[in-house]
Amino acid sequence: MKISQPTICLQVKIKESEWLGVPYDFGNLIISIGDMLQQASGGYYSSTH
């Protein structure tokens, strides 16, 4: 499958029900660390699912 338009896969929850797509540029690396941060903080920071 060839995608002709950029697709935003990673989103950040900014409000109770509002999500914001994370922009990206070719050559950049974006890493989602939500689950790791939740584990490392003992649940203080929660990962969304």
Side-chain angles (χ1 to χ4, degrees):
M1 174 168 68
K2 184 176 180 181
I3 299 174
S4 60
Q5 303 250 341
T7 302
I8 294 179
C9 297
L10 180 63
Q11 295 182 327
V12 177
K13 189 174 184 181
I14 58 174
K15 292 185 180 177
E16 186 60 35
S17 62
E18 190 173 346
W19 292 84
L20 181 64
V22 176
Y24 62 91
D25 289 321
F26 180 78
N28 290 350
L29 177 64
I30 299 172
I31 301 172
S32 176
I33 62 165
D35 291 337
M36 291 186 294
L37 188 57
Q38 179 174 327
Q39 183 69 26
S41 70
Y44 183 78
Y45 297 105
S46 64
S47 174
T48 57
H49 295 281

